[in-house]
Structures are given as C-alpha cells and as structure tokens.
C-alpha cells in the first residue's frame, strides 16, 4: 500500500474545476486510488476518481489529504496526483 | 402535399426552417418488472457502463464546443455521468440477492441517482445545488439506455424551429436564441411558458397548434407568428415573405419614443418591467415610461417579507431609469399563480378566485402599508413621476380604501387595476376615488370568460378580442369619462396586459378611449408603426366595428382588414 500526503493548493478548495481535473487524472489509472482528510480512518477513504466524492469530501485550501493505492505502479501514480492537488489551478 | 397547422400566434415573425422535436421528458422506470431470460446482473452492468460512457462522451464534446462559464459546467457534468459513486451505486443495485431484488439497468440508474442527489442535498450549500445536475445526468443515462434522444432542447449546429407539446420553465433556461429561430407547440396557450419566453426573446411563435408535435424531425416548415400558422413544404411565396420579414424586423426593432397617431394625437407607449435591469433595457428600447412595474420579483422565493430598505433599493433601481417620466408601480400581486408563504394560503381550492392581490391586505394587514411606505421613500430619492396602483380591486369601497392608504403614505397619484369584471362595470364609482385605471387584460379576459389563462384547450376563450372583453374595456373608458365629468379631473385609462402589444388591438383600444399602452419593450416599435397610420377618428370607427362584431375572430378580421399596414409589416 503506497501512501502520500498532499496539501490542497487551490484557493477555492477541492471544488468545481480543481476537483474535476483531479478526478479525471485519478480515473486514468486501472487501479483504485482513495482520498481521505488527514487523521480520518483509511477505511472511510473515498474514491479519488469520483467528482461527487471529492466535492462531498469538502477539502479546503491548505488542508492536508492522504492518497492511498495498492498496485505495483502506485508510487509514481501517487507522486503525479500529489502534484495536481498542490497546484492552484485557478491561478493558471 | 403541403400541410397547414393553425394555432394562436403569440409573437409576430415569418421564418422558414427545419423542425426539431423536443424529446419527451424521461419517465421513471418501473420498479416491478420481470427481468427477461438471458439478462443478467453482469449484462445489465455492462449496459450501464456503456451508457454512462456514451453520455460522458457526448457532454465532453459539447463542452469542447462551448466557451465561458458554460464550458466548466458541462465539463463537470460530463465527469458526473461516469462518476463511480453513481455508476458503482447503480451496478450494486442490480444484484438479485440485494435489497429490493433484481432491477433493470434503467431502474438501477434511477435509484442510484436519487440516492446520490439525496446525499448531496444533505450536505447543503453548493453541494445541494449540484443535486439537480446529478438528476439531469441520470435522465440522460436512462434515455441512452432506452435508445431515446437525450432530454432537453436538441443540440444542433444549424438554426432550427423547435417543436414541442409545451416547454417547461427549466427548458427555457437552456434555450439558445442563436440556434432556435421559432417556437411551435401543440399545447399551451397565449399565457403558457412557451409564449412568455417567446415574447421575452422576440422569437416568432405559434402555440396551441394541434399536430405540430408530430411533424417529423428535419421537415421544412414556414411559420407565421402573426397569423398563427405553420405550413409544411413552403414555396417561393413563403420564402419571399420570410426574406421580407428579415429586413422588416430590423426596422421594427427601432422605436424613437413619442408615439403619435397620424393626426398628431399622442398615445404614450410604456413598458412592463419587473426589475432595474428590465427598466434599463426598456429605457434603451425607447419606452416613454413604465406602465406596469411588477413588484413580485422582490418578494418571490422568500420565506419572509423583504425589509423596507430592500424594497426602497429595488424600486429605486427602476425609478432611476426614468427621471421625469411616468412609472406606474403595482403593489404586490401575490396569490393564484404567484403564492408567497408569508402572505397567501396555498390550500385554497380555487386560488384565482381567492385571497390574492389587494385582498391579502384583509388577511395579512401590514405588508401593503409597509410596501407603500417603501414606494414613497424610493420616490423621494428619485425624479420619476410615480403612480401607484392596486391589483384585484373589485369594488368602489376597495378603491376608496386603497387610495386613502396610498395618500396616507404620501403618494400623490393612486389608482387601480381593472381586471375583475365588476370593477369594469362600476368604473364610474371606482374612479370617483381612484386617480386612474389600468386594464389588466390577461386577468380581465380570464375572469370574463371563466377560462384559466394557463389552459391550452381554452386558448380560444382566452382571447382579448372576445366581444365581452371589448365591452368591458368600453365600460371602463365610459365610466372614467363619467367620473372625470363628476369630479372635474381627468381619469386616464391605460392598458398593461398583453392586448396592448397586439398592434391591431392597440388601435381598437385607443378608439375605445384608452390613453396609454404598456407592453413588453420588444413590441413597442411594431405598435408605434401601426398607430402612426391611423387618426383618432379612424381608431374610433375601427373600435365601433370591432365592438359590434359577434365573435373574437370577426372582431379581429374586421380590424385587420382595415389596417393594411399589418400585412405589409408582417405583424
């Protein structure tokens, strides 16, 4: 099980467009990636490729979230997804 | 062979184009159906995944072809279509051993969408607003599973004529006037949502034209929005008429203000507005003032009464657009089709005949007095010539009570709406108290004919050309003359219903003694162009002929026959 901590970089939080960009990226892997707020139990983690889950997670700017995946390619995948979460997409 | 469909024309305009039918709304899949042999949970899951991917691809393609905020919305909606929460939830529901037994793919998607929407609503705020998007996506997936076209207004690269049974308020929000060149519906009446939308957008429209919802997609038709006619297989004559209209409508979009008859007699043309934004558009369109400022917008979608300060700001935004011009403001017209939780009782068996308009002051005193106070305060801040009037006045006593309230609030010109036949028939008494009257022809017609404004099958009764309605208008003008003689002050009578926007009827109204006409700003130029071709004497002669006609159709035909300008302008 690979695990990474990321800090939300979008000023608007993980909503709307940033959530859409992230969900789409997470959905491109053929294995499940989960997301949870820091400190929340791993078995309550949500599907990272679901925009509806991400929006209901309600992660705000500068909050920490944990990404998890279990797959031989998980390490590189999570590194890539952390970069997306830490970017402020609305500032682009 | 060429086919003709006759309906009620609600907005003039002549166009030729191809028909696209509005798909029927997606109905809820049945819960209890036998799953056919050979269909398994696995095969249904595969159908769900394929349908959700197809809907996602379609929405993505639309997003790519869209610009601005709408693009972001479509992109997010596209993602929702294949969202694991929605799709996995649906697949789980297919399990024959699960709660509720086996389901069809359609039913599983329906229930899963409902569960997701419910969860979002529970989160409140922004998330709750997304619930509607989830339900929209759900309908699209179910339509895809059934092999039916996606719900909502068809998407097309080329402009088309939209045909439907009737449009719902939600459809009208997504209608792109650059793509839709005319509206034709088999149901609905002159007051239906389709008609209201068509007037607001200035789209040629024919409603209550039986059969148009069965015209095949892609069929070329000619629509005449003034005559209320739809014709298939249009020929060179129709193509010419459409070309002439295209040129004509450009000139008809211009109104210079200062409307007069051919003999110089002024007939000020005013606008019906609801907000400061409407008022700005009306002023830009040349309106000589506001003949009807609806104040409901300030109150709708609220659980509690707006404060006086909020009202002062809202009314002031309209007054500011018309310095030194007349603005007639109507006090709150709640009830019937515009219920308000703090003012009206939603359980009335017959709301059109219930406690609505001015009558709410009896059951909930205070709201009207505070509104009058706000109107007076807003007037003090601006230079508009503010007139105030109450809706649903039925008797002289009510007129006396209202005008006294208005004067107590410091408002100098107080009048009444004449929309209840009793007020029209006793106008001399009503106007002994009121300074002016404004004929609300939509309600006056519905009450005179005992015909619900919203019902398509009653569209023929709901016609302001009905002899009974014309007689009530005449009675109001005659009563106003009597009251003017008795009191020694002029008692002007205006019209602020849809009748004022019908150029032929506008001439008749002036002939009956109406002094000002108020309408949707888009109608101003057409009405002005027709009024400019007649004298007071012409209008009076036409009015007498219309009044003597035995039917609405005869009255309309008589008037139109004497106004050749109408055909020339395509009105």
């Amino acid at each position: 099980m690979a695990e990474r901590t990321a800090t939300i970089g979008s000023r608007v939080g993980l909503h709307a467009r940033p959530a859409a960009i992230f969900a789409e990226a997470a959905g491109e892997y053929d294995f499940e990636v989960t997301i949870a707020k820091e400190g929340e139990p791993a078995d309550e983690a949500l599907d990272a490729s679901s925009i509806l889950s991400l929006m209901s997670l309600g992660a705000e700017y500068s909050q920490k979230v944990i990404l998890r995946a279990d797959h031989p390619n998980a390490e590189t995948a999570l590194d890539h997804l952390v970069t997306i979460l830490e970017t402020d997409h609305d500032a682009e | 062979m060429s086919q003709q469909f006759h309906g009620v024309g609600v907005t003039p305009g002549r166009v030729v184009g191809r028909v696209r039918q509005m798909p029927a709304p997606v109905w809820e899949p049945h819960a209890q159906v036998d799953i056919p042999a050979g269909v398994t949970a696995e095969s249904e899951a595969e159908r769900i995944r394929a349908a959700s991917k197809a809907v996602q691809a379609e929405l993505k393609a639309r997003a790519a072809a869209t610009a601005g905020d709408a693009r972001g919305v479509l992109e997010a909606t596209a993602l929702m279509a294949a969202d694991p929460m929605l799709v996995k939830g649906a697949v789980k529901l297919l399990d024959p051993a699960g709660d509720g037994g086996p389901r069809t793919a359609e039913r599983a998607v329906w229930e899963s969408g409902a569960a997701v929407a419910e969860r979002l609503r529970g989160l409140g705020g922004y998330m709750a607003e997304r619930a509607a998007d989830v339900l929209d996506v759900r309908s699209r997936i179910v339509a895809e599973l059934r092999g039916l076209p996606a719900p909502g207004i068809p998407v097309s690269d080329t402009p088309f004529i939209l045909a439907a049974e009737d449009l719902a308020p939600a459809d009208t929000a997504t209608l792109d006037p650059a793509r839709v060149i005319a509206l034709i519906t088999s149901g609905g009446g002159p007051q239906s949502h389709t008609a209201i939308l068509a007037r607001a957008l200035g789209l040629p429209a024919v409603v209550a034209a039986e059969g148009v919802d069965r015209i095949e997609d892609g069929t070329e038709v000619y629509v005449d929005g003034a005559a209320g006619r739809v014709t298939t297989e249009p020929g060179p004559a129709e193509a010419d008429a459409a070309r002439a209209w295209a040129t004509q409508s450009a000139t008809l979009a211009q109104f210079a203000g200062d409307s007069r008859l051919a003999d110089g007699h002024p007939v000020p043309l005013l606008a019906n507005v609801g907000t400061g934004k409407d008022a700005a558009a009306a002023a830009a369109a040349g309106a000589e003032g506001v003949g009807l400022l609806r104040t409901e917008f300030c109150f709708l979608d609220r659980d509690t009464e707006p404060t006086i300060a909020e009202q002062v700001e809202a009314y002031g935004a309209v007054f500011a657009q018309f310095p030194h011009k007349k603005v007639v403001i109507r006090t709150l017209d709640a009830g019937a089709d515009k219920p308000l939780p703090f003012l009206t009782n939603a359980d009335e068996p017959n709301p059109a005949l219930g406690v609505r308009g001015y009558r709410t002051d009896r059951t909930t005193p205070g709201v009207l007095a505070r509104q009058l106070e706000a109107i007076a305060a807003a007037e003090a801040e601006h230079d508009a010539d503010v007139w105030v009037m109450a809706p649903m006045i039925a008797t002289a006593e009510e007129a006396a009570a209202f005008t006294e309230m208005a004067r107590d609030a410091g408002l100098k010109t107080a009048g009444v709406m004449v929309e209840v036949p009793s007020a029209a028939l006793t106008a001399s008494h009503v106007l002994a108290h009121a300074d002016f009257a404004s004929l609300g022809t939509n309600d006056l017609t519905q009450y005179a004919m005992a015909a619900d404004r919203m019902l398509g099958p009653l569209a023929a009764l709901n016609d302001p050309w009905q002899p009974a309605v014309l007689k009530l208008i005449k009675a109001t003008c005659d009563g106003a003359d009597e009251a003017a003689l008795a009191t020694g002050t002029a008692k002007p009578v205006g019209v602020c219903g849809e009748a004022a926007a019908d150029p032929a009827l506008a001439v008749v109204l002036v002939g009956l003694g109406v002094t000002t006409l108020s309408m949707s700003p888009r109608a101003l130029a057409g009405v002005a162009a027709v009024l400019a071709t007649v004298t007071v004497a012409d209008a009076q002669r036409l009015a007498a002929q219309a009044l003597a006609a035995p039917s609405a159709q005869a009255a309309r035909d008589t008037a139109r026959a004497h106004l050749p300008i109408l055909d020339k302008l395509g009105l």
Side-chain angles (χ1 to χ4, degrees):
Chain A
M1 173 74 77
E3 196 175 301
R4 292 284 186 285
T5 303
T7 310
I8 303 296
S10 278
R11 302 261 160 194
V12 297
L14 197 51
H15 297 293
R17 188 162 166 265
I21 292 170
F22 179 73
E24 197 160 21
E28 275 165 17
Y29 300 104
D30 52 7
F31 49 90
E32 193 181 50
V33 179
T34 68
I35 183 167
K37 281 189 187 168
E38 190 179 39
E40 283 180 0
D43 57 355
E44 281 179 24
L46 300 166
D47 187 336
S49 66
S50 160
I51 186 166
L52 294 167
S53 297
L54 293 179
M55 294 198 299
S56 62
L57 182 70
E60 301 301 336
Y61 172 64
S62 82
Q63 269 192 342
K64 285 190 165 40
V65 295
I66 316 291
L67 300 181
R68 293 184 184 90
D70 196 3
H71 190 270
N73 299 332
E75 301 285 344
T76 34
L78 293 192
D79 284 339
H80 175 61
L81 292 172
V82 166
T83 324
I84 294 177
L85 280 182
E86 298 196 334
T87 307
D88 184 359
H89 296 281
D90 286 322
E92 279 168 8
Chain B
M1 199 184 72
S2 175
Q3 243 188 318
Q4 285 244 5
F5 302 88
H6 296 271
V8 179
V10 290
T11 336
R14 292 166 172 170
V15 293
V16 170
R18 293 197 182 275
V19 166
R20 292 291 303 268
Q21 290 287 348
M22 182 85 179
V26 174
W27 42 270
E28 177 174 351
H30 297 297
Q32 305 297 332
V33 288
D34 294 326
I35 309 289
V39 171
T40 63
E42 289 71 32
S43 69
E44 287 294 84
E46 209 32 67
R47 285 183 62 220
I48 291 176
R49 287 189 204 102
S52 88
K53 286 275 175 234
V55 169
Q56 181 177 42
E58 200 232 308
L59 289 170
K60 264 190 176 166
R62 272 180 61 192
T66 313
D69 289 347
R71 181 179 186 143
V73 172
L74 280 171
E75 279 172 349
T77 314
L79 269 178
M80 279 181 200
D83 194 277
M85 196 192 266
L86 182 66
V87 176
K88 282 185 190 163
V91 168
K92 220 181 234 174
L93 286 168
L94 295 170
D95 183 359
D99 213 14
R103 289 169 176 82
T104 57
E106 289 85 349
R107 182 69 196 177
V109 168
W110 191 266
E111 287 184 27
S112 175
V116 173
E118 196 46 51
R119 192 171 154 182
L120 293 179
R121 278 197 206 99
L123 292 166
Y126 173 81
M127 297 304 300
E129 289 165 30
R130 301 281 75 75
D133 301 344
V134 172
L135 295 180
D136 173 54
V137 158
R138 169 179 82 168
S139 293
R140 289 175 181 280
I141 299 175
V142 171
E144 177 73 27
L145 284 167
R146 288 178 177 149
L148 295 173
I153 292 171
V155 180
S156 164
D157 292 335
T158 48
F160 59 95
I161 292 166
L162 181 62
E165 194 191 326
D166 196 6
L167 294 180
D171 303 323
T172 62
T174 54
L175 191 146
D176 177 0
R179 289 275 180 270
V180 178
I181 55 170
L183 298 172
I184 53 177
T185 63
S186 58
Q191 303 304 330
S192 63
H193 289 291
T194 308
I196 291 164
L197 175 80
R199 286 191 197 101
L201 296 176
L203 279 180
V206 178
V207 300
E210 208 179 307
V212 297
D213 58 337
R214 291 190 298 273
I215 298 175
E216 234 175 274
D217 260 9
T219 307
E220 191 170 56
V221 300
Y222 168 68
V223 176
D224 185 334
R229 216 171 45 229
V230 178
T231 316
T232 61
E233 296 180 26
E238 283 83 9
D240 283 349
R243 256 195 306 279
W245 168 261
T247 334
Q248 199 63 254
S249 61
T251 30
L252 280 178
Q254 305 295 325
F255 174 54
D258 191 26
S259 158
R260 285 169 189 276
L261 301 187
D263 52 12
H265 177 82
V267 181
L269 299 187
L270 316 172
N272 295 346
V273 306
T275 62
K277 202 173 139 210
D278 289 357
E288 297 175 66
V290 169
L292 172 62
L293 164 53
R294 301 182 182 93
T295 55
E296 291 77 55
F297 73 92
C298 197
F299 291 79
L300 287 177
D301 302 322
R302 297 184 60 125
D303 297 331
T304 55
E305 184 188 342
T307 63
I308 290 184
E310 284 175 284
Q311 295 186 50
V312 170
E313 195 187 333
Y315 308 151
V318 174
F319 297 168
Q321 296 295 331
F322 290 93
H324 310 295
K325 301 240 176 88
K326 181 161 98 175
V327 176
V328 185
I329 178 167
R330 180 179 70 190
T331 58
L332 194 52
D333 189 15
D337 54 337
K338 293 165 283 200
L340 287 179
F342 55 93
L343 204 55
T344 55
N345 173 5
D347 304 328
E348 285 179 355
N350 205 344
L353 304 184
V355 181
R356 56 168 294 202
Y358 171 74
R359 299 167 177 185
T360 57
D361 190 50
R362 290 183 201 167
T363 50
T364 319
V367 178
L368 178 60
R370 286 186 289 276
Q371 186 177 27
L372 291 170
E373 188 187 334
I375 294 169
E379 183 190 21
E381 290 176 10
H382 297 276
D383 297 323
D385 178 17
V386 176
W387 294 22
V388 63
M389 64 181 179
M392 289 299 289
I393 293 289
T395 65
E397 290 96 322
E398 287 176 348
F402 173 73
T403 47
E404 196 185 323
M405 272 181 91
R407 294 206 176 93
D408 286 349
L411 292 156
K412 60 184 190 313
T413 311
V416 298
M417 290 278 293
V418 171
E419 48 200 337
V420 181
S422 65
L425 294 170
T426 60
S428 66
H429 301 303
V430 167
L431 284 156
H433 307 282
D435 296 322
F436 68 96
S438 180
L439 286 153
T441 47
N442 302 350
D443 270 331
L444 186 62
T445 307
Q446 111 158 329
Y447 292 133
M449 306 307 296
D452 191 320
R453 285 161 62 170
M454 299 299 182
L455 296 182
L458 304 183
L461 290 177
N462 246 306
D463 184 339
W465 287 94
Q466 283 287 350
V469 179
L470 296 179
K471 285 191 164 68
L472 287 169
I473 294 170
K474 175 78 162 59
T476 308
C477 294
D478 289 351
D481 286 345
E482 273 180 54
L485 267 177
T487 60
T489 37
K491 300 285 183 180
V493 176
V495 170
C496 65
E498 296 298 343
D502 172 343
L505 192 46
V507 172
V508 170
L509 293 171
V510 169
L512 290 172
V514 167
T515 51
T516 56
L517 300 168
S518 188
M519 61 202 73
S520 152
R522 288 187 183 272
L524 291 167
V527 171
V530 175
L531 287 179
T533 65
V534 298
T535 62
V536 174
D538 294 338
Q540 285 170 344
R541 203 175 51 247
L542 272 182
Q545 286 171 345
L547 209 51
S551 70
Q553 194 57 49
R556 184 185 272 113
D557 290 348
T558 307
R560 293 191 70 93
H562 288 89
L563 294 166
I565 179 84
L566 291 170
D567 202 49
K568 201 175 140 220
L569 294 180
L571 291 171

